[in-house]
């Protein structure tokens, strides 16, 4: 009867992807985001490859960070 129980849990990223128009900032706040990118999560990869997300990621990478920003937030 072990197979009767569903031990597979869905990640928070998958739950967010079920929503319509999830903001990129909300996805980036998730701790397991990097793991989900490494895993074959096609929904997430499809979203990240969209033109709007690519532009937003480019802005996040290229902008200079404020000096007073917390280190935890800065390297996120």
């Amino acid at each position: 009867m072990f197979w009767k129980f569903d031990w597979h849990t869905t990640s928070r990223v998958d739950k967010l992807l079920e929503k319509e128009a999830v903001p990129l900032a909300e996805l980036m706040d998730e701790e397991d985001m990097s793991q989900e990118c490494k895993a074959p999560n096609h929904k997430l990869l499809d979203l990240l490859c969209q033109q709007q997300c690519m532009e937003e990621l480019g802005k996040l990478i290229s902008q200079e960070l404020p000096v007073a920003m917390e280190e935890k937030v800065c390297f996120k």
Side-chain angles (χ1 to χ4, degrees):
M1 294 279 186
F2 178 75
W3 52 88
K4 186 176 182 180
F5 301 105
D6 184 18
W7 294 100
H8 178 70
T9 59
T10 57
S11 71
R12 292 217 2 102
V13 173
D14 283 334
K15 289 178 184 176
L16 286 173
L17 289 172
E18 290 174 0
K19 288 196 250 180
E20 278 189 45
V22 61
L24 182 62
E26 193 172 344
L27 280 172
M28 298 299 281
D29 284 339
E30 292 301 318
E31 290 182 14
D32 59 341
M33 182 66 171
S34 62
Q35 293 296 345
E36 289 292 324
C37 287
K38 292 177 188 176
N41 189 336
H42 297 290
K43 273 181 147 179
L44 176 62
L45 295 176
D46 288 342
L47 176 76
L48 292 176
C49 288
Q50 291 178 358
Q51 181 73 25
Q52 180 184 1
C53 285
M54 294 297 283
E55 289 174 2
E56 194 172 341
L57 285 170
K59 287 177 187 176
L60 289 172
I61 291 169
S62 61
Q63 74 184 12
E64 194 164 322
L65 300 173
V67 177
M69 185 177 275
E70 254 184 71
E71 187 173 321
K72 181 181 175 183
V73 176
C74 178
F75 292 109
K76 189 174 180 183

